[in-house]
Amino acid sequence: MLKKISRIFMIIVISAIFIADLVITYILGNPKNIKKEYTKEYVFEEETKNASIIEVIEKEHNDRSIFCTLTDQGVIVMELEPRADSTWRKSFLSITGNSVLSDFLNNDGIYVDSVFLRETIFIYGVCNPELNVRKIIITGPKGKTYECTLAKDNGLFFTKIDEESASGKTIQGLDDKGKVVVEDNHWTY
């Protein structure tokens, strides 16, 4: 009789542990219970919280979000990717400070750089606001062109190119009359 009671008690304890485990797993995995610090917006805000945002361009690529952000401290390029549990994490971060930007903008009128993310090349840059650039035309090494339209008073551009390399490209900035006001020949990476 004592053995039966102890077996029943063990079955009840194991069942209770199993049910508790299922409840905890459901609560933690339920999207309604995911903390805000795991959302895409929160991860982005955490990475830019010490800077004043001037302009942001977001591109979606392969279920990831790539942000190019102009701040009072420079340019931030950041890739965020979703996790299996519907949360987000930062998977890439590149920062170009104001000292570099100022040098290029004052001397050349344009700063251009590229990032290589999982077999994909993104070109980004900033134009001197005094040049009134409204359109960027990027000509790749094989002659293919890519265009970015800039809104008034915005100098940031960001686009994906379908090229094997970021070297050998030419970037032209056109004003609202279609006149080339700045040009950058990027023949090295």
Side-chain angles (χ1 to χ4, degrees):
M1 177 85 166
L2 191 55
K3 282 186 172 183
K4 273 188 171 181
I5 293 175
S6 66
R7 283 186 186 162
I8 292 173
F9 180 73
M10 287 300 284
I11 291 172
I12 292 172
V13 168
I14 291 172
S15 296
I17 291 171
F18 180 70
I19 291 171
D21 183 52
L22 286 175
V23 169
I24 291 170
T25 302
Y26 173 76
I27 289 172
L28 293 177
N30 189 343
K32 293 179 183 176
N33 298 319
I34 293 174
K35 296 178 184 177
K36 82 172 199 175
E37 65 252 20
Y38 296 114
T39 64
K40 176 171 56 170
E41 293 78 14
Y42 186 82
V43 174
F44 175 80
E45 288 170 8
E46 277 298 301
E47 290 299 325
T48 58
K49 70 180 176 185
N50 294 325
S52 296
I53 296 174
I54 298 168
E55 190 176 350
V56 178
I57 300 172
E58 178 183 5
K59 300 276 185 192
E60 297 289 329
H61 183 67
N62 292 340
D63 297 325
R64 297 165 189 253
S65 290
I66 299 112
F67 293 91
C68 186
T69 308
L70 179 61
T71 72
D72 61 341
Q73 298 175 8
V75 176
I76 301 169
V77 177
M78 174 181 6
E79 180 186 58
L80 302 179
E81 65 181 352
R83 294 179 178 175
D85 62 357
S86 300
T87 62
W88 289 78
R89 74 176 194 91
K90 174 184 66 180
S91 56
F92 175 81
L93 181 69
S94 171
I95 301 172
T96 303
N98 270 342
S99 60
V100 173
L101 287 180
S102 295
D103 187 41
F104 279 92
L105 294 178
N106 291 333
N107 295 325
D108 302 331
I110 189 169
Y111 171 80
V112 179
D113 206 347
S114 56
V115 292
F116 188 71
L117 297 171
R118 289 165 196 68
E119 307 298 320
T120 304
I121 298 172
F122 292 90
I123 305 293
Y124 70 95
V126 181
C127 296
N128 186 327
E130 296 171 3
L131 296 176
N132 195 30
V133 174
R134 293 290 170 261
K135 183 187 281 188
I136 295 291
I137 298 175
I138 301 166
T139 305
K142 295 182 180 177
K144 188 171 181 181
T145 60
Y146 308 88
E147 291 187 12
C148 301
T149 302
L150 282 67
K152 186 175 183 179
D153 298 327
N154 291 353
L156 185 69
F157 60 92
F158 182 56
T159 191
K160 176 179 94 71
I161 64 170
D162 296 316
E163 303 284 342
E164 294 176 8
S165 171
S167 63
K169 64 187 176 302
T170 301
I171 292 97
Q172 294 179 320
L174 287 69
D175 64 10
D176 52 358
K177 296 174 185 160
K179 178 183 172 198
V180 175
V181 292
V182 66
E183 188 168 32
D184 181 69
N185 292 312
H186 233 71
W187 291 102
T188 57
Y189 188 73

